[in-house]
């Protein structure tokens, strides 16, 4: 059966969600609108000078999601107009992250640098039309001549003859002048109340190798000049961008109006995503990486998509997060706990349950036959009956969590302590603590208990009430060792970017705790072995589990191996988000 195609208007009627961007688009594609009868066409234009982070993800979901809503198209364009920090590594990573989130651009993948020649032609056209001139003010002089509110800017080169500016601009291109010697400025309005319109620089000299163009160019267009031309050349109808470009919109429109381009896109701005306890400046994220404060761009504490993926975040959770926070004009800060809430919702439905003991202490069931091993069937996910069960072994010697035992219990403590209440060992038997063994330093090295043979499955034969807690465990004779990494917020300050703060001084010294010699179910070695064979391990989600009573954990997609299990805590079981 072929898919029924819908007009843009029909697509809107079929979609439930809407926001102010959709309202504008509805007006534009309606009868009499500027894009009546046209296909909605958006673009996502990341600069390849770093890895995508959760803030980019909001823009990404808006750009690609809007195209999906209207059965339109969305281009992926690398905004590589500044060669200073750009690299093919970032180009590849950006594509990988977008595909991981579930979006595609088909054959609509572009580089801004492919339009350099057309941009240059547009610049010459502006010069010939008396709308641009070569300026020789130094950066310091430029600031001095910028003016202020009520005081116009100035430039002694504004009335330079067209022929002279054209000659100098061509010589700038040929590499005759050093960096900073000259710029090309648009001739708009030096007295404008919008400082972006005060004859803005549209080209600067930069003798630097470009990751795609090599050494072909030594002059590069400024973003405010390049971006509208790129949009127009690609036939973009709606250029959706973050709120800081609102004051740049008059310049965007001016460039489109005065350059020979085939389309006139409409720019619409939305508020950027802010999340507490993090920073989302690529410059600051780069400083964390280069300063060794984190292990790399994919450190699970980083807000980058590759870092979130390594921590165990799923595309569903991230897209749900971006869609549920909505699209607004006013800037706001979202609690990081809401992002965790979205992940917890997804994993609760889909993650397999297993047992893992992070801080193990030996539990010996003294009346259980030595050498005997039993098998039990344990459910994989109580929320998904189709997930089935798995087999776990049970014997005289087990491991449990150290904090599931107290020699001297505190009030309302319902776990193991000498002569305490009966407790359930998950899925197996009832046990009762009888004592413990200590080393010379007084540390508990072994817990002693007895079990009720008639309580198989955790239910006493006589129906008596069990007052103690249910405790998870692993079989000491059939388990695997694991390294487990417990992650917390990278910053202890909720607003590390605020005021005059040095964000580096806001780092949380307890953002990572590494536990070794943890004990997990033996079957996880097989899961790790299968994951070892996956291609591009860092580009896909590693298997994720709920460690019962502990939290959600995933295999580390970089360091874990079948012979060295490494798990990252994705999120705790407790939901701190206030709904």
């Amino acid at each position: 059966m072929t898919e029924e195609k819908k007009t843009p208007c029909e697509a809107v009627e079929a979609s439930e969600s809407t926001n102010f961007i959709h309202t504008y688009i509805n007006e534009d594609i309606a009868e009499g609108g500027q894009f009546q009868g046209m296909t909605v066409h958006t673009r996502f234009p990341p600069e390849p000078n770093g890895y995508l982070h959760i803030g980019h993800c909001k823009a990404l979901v808006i750009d690609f999601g809007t195209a999906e809503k209207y059965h339109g198209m969305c281009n992926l364009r690398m905004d590589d107009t500044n060669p200073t920090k750009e690299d093919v590594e970032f180009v590849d990573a950006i594509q990988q992250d977008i595909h991981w989130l579930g979006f595609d651009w088909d054959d609509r993948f572009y580089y801004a640098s492919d339009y350099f020649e057309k941009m240059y032609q547009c610049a010459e056209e502006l010069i010939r039309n008396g709308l641009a001139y070569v300026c020789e003010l130094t950066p310091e002089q430029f600031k001095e001549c910028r003016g202020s509110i009520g005081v116009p800017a100035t430039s002694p080169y504004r009335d330079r003859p067209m022929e002279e500016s054209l000659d100098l601009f061509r010589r700038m291109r040929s590499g005759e002048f050093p960096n900073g010697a000259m710029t090309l400025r648009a001739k708009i309005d030096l007295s404008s109340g919008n400082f972006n319109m005060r004859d803005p620089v549209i080209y600067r000299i930069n003798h630097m190798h470009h990751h795609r163009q090599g050494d072909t160019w030594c002059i590069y267009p400024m973003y405010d000049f390049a971006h509208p031309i790129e949009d127009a050349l690609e036939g973009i109808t709606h250029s959706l961008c973050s709120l800081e470009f609102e004051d740049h919109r008059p310049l965007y429109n001016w460039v489109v109006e005065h350059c020979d381009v085939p389309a006139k896109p409409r720019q619409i701005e939305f508020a950027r995503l802010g999340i507490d306890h993090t920073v989302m400046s690529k410059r600051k994220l780069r400083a964390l990486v280069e300063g060794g404060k984190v292990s790399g761009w994919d450190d699970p504490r980083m807000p980058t998509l590759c870092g979130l993926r390594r921590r165990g975040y799923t595309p569903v959770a991230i897209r749900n997060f971006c869609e549920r926070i909505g699209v607004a004009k006013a800037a706001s800060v979202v609690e990081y706990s809401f992002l965790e809430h979205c992940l917890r919702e997804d994993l609760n439905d889909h993650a397999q349950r297993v047992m893992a003991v992070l801080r193990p202490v030996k539990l010996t069931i003294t009346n259980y036959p030595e050498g005997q091993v039993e098998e039990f069937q344990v459910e994989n996910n109580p929320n998904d009956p189709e997930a089935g069960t798995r087999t776990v072994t049970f014997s005289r010697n087990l491991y449990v969590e150290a904090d599931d035992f107290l020699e001297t219990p505190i009030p309302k403590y319902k776990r193991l302590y000498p002569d305490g209440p009966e407790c359930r060992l998950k899925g197996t038997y009832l046990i009762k603590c009888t004592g413990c063994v200590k080393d010379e330093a007084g540390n508990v090295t072994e817990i002693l208990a007895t079990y009720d043979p008639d309580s198989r499955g955790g239910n006493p034969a006589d129906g008596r009430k069990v007052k103690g807690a249910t405790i998870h465990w692993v079989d000491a004779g059939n388990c695997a060792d694991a390294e487990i990494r417990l992650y917390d917020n990278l910053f202890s300050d909720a607003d590390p970017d605020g005021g005059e703060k040095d964000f580096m001084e806001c780092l949380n010294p307890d953002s990572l705790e590494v536990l070794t010699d943890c004990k997990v179910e033996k079957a996880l070695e097989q899961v790790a072995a299968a994951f070892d064979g996956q291609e591009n391990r860092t580009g896909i989600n590693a298997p994720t589990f709920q460690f019962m009573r502990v939290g959600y954990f995933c295999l580390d997609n970089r360091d874990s191996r079948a012979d060295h299990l490494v798990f990252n805590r994705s999120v705790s079981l407790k939901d701190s988000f206030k709904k």
Side-chain angles (χ1 to χ4, degrees):
M1 181 181 294
T2 58
E3 181 180 351
E4 180 183 357
K5 293 186 176 181
K6 299 179 180 179
T7 66
C9 290
E10 290 172 334
V12 174
E13 293 173 359
S15 178
E16 296 181 359
S17 64
T18 187
N19 55 53
F20 75 90
I21 293 177
H22 301 156
T23 300
Y24 290 148
I25 295 176
N26 293 344
E27 295 171 353
D28 290 341
I29 63 179
E31 184 176 354
Q34 62 176 315
F35 300 120
Q36 176 185 347
M38 296 177 61
T39 298
V40 173
H41 200 161
T42 62
R43 83 292 168 269
F44 179 61
E47 185 177 359
N49 63 350
Y51 286 75
L52 295 184
H53 55 62
I54 189 69
H56 297 118
C57 190
K58 178 183 178 180
L60 192 159
V61 169
I62 290 173
D63 288 324
F64 280 93
T66 298
E68 285 184 354
K69 176 183 176 73
Y70 289 91
H71 293 257
M73 299 179 289
C74 183
N75 295 359
L76 174 60
R77 180 200 310 143
M78 296 296 152
D79 176 33
D80 58 344
T81 57
N82 181 1
T84 305
K85 295 287 186 179
E86 295 165 357
D87 194 277
V88 68
E89 170 192 352
F90 303 129
V91 173
D92 294 340
I94 289 169
Q95 295 180 77
Q96 183 181 84
D97 285 343
I98 297 174
H99 274 142
W100 173 70
L101 282 173
F103 294 109
D104 199 3
W105 50 87
D106 297 322
D107 59 348
R108 295 182 299 278
F109 178 57
Y110 304 97
Y111 288 91
S113 58
D114 288 342
Y115 308 128
F116 277 174
E117 187 61 43
K118 175 61 178 178
M119 294 173 192
Y120 177 82
Q121 293 171 8
C122 287
E124 282 206 354
E125 176 189 7
L126 291 176
I127 296 173
R128 286 192 293 270
N129 291 336
L131 296 174
Y133 59 95
V134 171
C135 180
E136 297 179 51
L137 291 176
T138 66
E140 294 75 18
Q141 292 171 331
F142 189 94
K143 292 179 181 178
E144 293 173 1
C145 296
R146 194 165 185 256
S148 58
I149 297 175
V151 178
T154 59
S155 173
Y157 304 99
R158 196 170 197 263
D159 296 323
R160 172 171 261 158
M162 177 271 289
E163 294 82 4
E164 185 178 341
S165 282
L166 191 61
D167 174 66
L168 288 172
F169 188 53
R170 290 172 177 173
R171 291 162 65 189
M172 285 168 59
R173 174 177 181 170
S174 68
E176 187 172 331
F177 306 112
N179 292 351
M182 298 177 182
T183 59
L184 181 68
R185 297 175 64 176
K187 193 173 185 179
I188 305 178
D189 183 0
L190 287 177
S191 62
S192 174
N194 184 339
F195 279 52
N196 296 296
M197 301 295 282
R198 291 191 172 190
D199 290 11
V201 173
I202 58 176
Y203 263 92
R204 79 286 197 201
I205 301 172
N206 190 354
H207 291 269
M208 179 169 284
H209 185 83
H210 190 277
H211 75 105
R212 293 191 73 248
Q213 300 294 332
D215 298 318
T216 302
W217 295 90
C218 61
I219 57 172
Y220 291 93
M222 302 298 289
Y223 180 84
D224 280 343
F225 179 68
H227 190 221
I229 294 175
E230 296 155 16
D231 285 347
L233 292 176
E234 293 176 11
I236 301 303
T237 57
H238 295 87
S239 182
L240 311 178
C241 56
S242 48
L243 199 59
E244 67 263 32
F245 291 103
E246 184 174 34
D247 290 340
H248 297 246
R249 193 196 320 147
L251 180 53
Y252 181 101
N253 294 336
W254 185 91
V255 172
V256 170
E257 184 68 30
H258 291 91
C259 291
D260 181 19
V261 289
K264 294 185 177 181
R266 176 179 183 177
Q267 177 174 302
I268 303 174
E269 308 86 14
F270 56 87
R272 299 179 69 175
L273 172 61
I275 302 181
D276 63 9
H277 292 94
T278 191
V279 297
M280 285 188 285
S281 156
K282 278 194 286 188
R283 176 182 60 82
K284 292 181 178 178
L285 294 178
R286 181 189 294 273
L288 291 172
V289 174
E290 294 178 350
K293 304 300 183 182
V294 293
S295 61
W297 287 96
D298 66 346
D299 187 299
R301 294 166 292 180
M302 291 278 275
T304 54
L305 292 186
C306 57
L308 291 169
R309 179 167 62 245
R310 186 176 176 188
R311 187 161 175 170
Y313 276 79
T314 64
V316 169
I318 292 176
R319 289 182 63 162
N320 282 345
F321 170 76
C322 291
E323 290 166 2
R324 289 163 69 176
I325 60 177
V327 181
K329 270 286 189 181
S332 61
V333 177
V334 180
E335 295 178 27
Y336 194 93
S337 58
F338 182 53
L339 177 59
E340 293 180 321
H341 171 75
C342 292
L343 176 63
R344 196 178 285 108
E345 276 189 335
D346 185 34
L347 296 182
N348 185 52
D349 288 337
H350 302 106
Q352 177 177 320
R353 275 55 169 169
V354 298
M355 291 189 284
V357 180
L358 275 56
R359 296 173 175 86
V361 62
K362 186 178 180 181
L363 170 66
T364 300
I365 304 175
T366 57
N367 64 333
Y368 192 86
E370 290 200 42
Q372 179 173 310
V373 177
E374 290 184 78
E375 291 185 347
F376 288 83
Q377 296 300 309
V378 182
E379 61 189 357
N380 286 326
N381 189 331
N383 296 331
D384 182 11
E386 295 184 0
T389 61
R390 68 188 186 282
T391 300
V392 296
T393 61
F394 181 88
S395 67
R396 176 186 175 92
N397 298 311
L398 310 173
Y399 286 112
V400 296
E401 293 286 355
D403 62 5
D404 278 336
F405 171 82
L406 283 179
E407 187 174 10
T408 303
I410 58 177
K412 298 183 180 181
Y413 187 76
K414 295 183 179 181
R415 287 172 276 176
L416 298 173
Y417 58 90
D419 297 322
E422 286 185 305
C423 294
R424 284 187 176 90
L425 288 179
K426 172 65 180 177
T428 58
Y429 292 107
L430 300 182
I431 64 169
K432 186 176 179 65
C433 179
T434 58
C436 65
V437 177
K438 300 180 182 179
D439 61 17
E440 294 180 354
N443 299 311
V444 175
T445 58
E446 184 178 5
I447 303 168
L448 305 177
T450 58
Y451 85 116
D452 177 2
D454 295 327
S455 63
R456 183 179 172 87
N459 298 309
D462 61 6
R464 67 184 180 274
K465 184 177 180 180
V466 179
K467 298 181 179 180
T470 297
I471 294 173
H472 66 281
W473 54 276
V474 294
D475 186 351
N478 187 32
C479 64
D481 292 331
E483 175 184 319
I484 294 181
R485 300 169 180 174
L486 304 178
Y487 291 99
D488 202 344
N489 290 325
L490 184 57
F491 294 93
S492 53
D493 192 312
D495 184 20
D497 256 345
E500 300 297 322
K501 299 174 187 175
D502 178 352
F503 76 102
M504 286 289 193
E505 294 182 357
C506 299
L507 287 167
N508 178 9
D510 301 318
S511 61
L512 171 61
E513 181 182 5
V514 179
L515 305 178
T516 57
D517 199 32
C518 304
K519 308 297 181 182
V520 299
E521 291 184 27
K522 187 73 171 178
L524 291 181
E525 289 182 335
Q526 297 177 0
V527 176
F531 184 58
D532 286 354
Q534 293 286 321
E535 294 184 7
N536 189 22
R537 285 166 36 117
T538 59
I540 61 176
N541 269 90
T544 299
F545 304 90
Q546 184 194 101
F547 287 179
M548 296 171 60
R549 300 177 61 224
V550 180
Y552 293 96
F553 293 76
C554 71
L555 281 169
D556 185 86
N557 65 18
R558 187 175 294 278
D559 297 336
S560 184
R561 295 291 183 271
D563 60 352
H564 178 62
L565 301 181
V566 180
F567 288 93
N568 300 326
R569 182 172 65 186
S570 307
V571 65
S572 64
L573 290 179
K574 183 179 179 181
D575 193 341
S576 61
F577 175 69
K578 298 178 181 178
K579 302 177 185 178

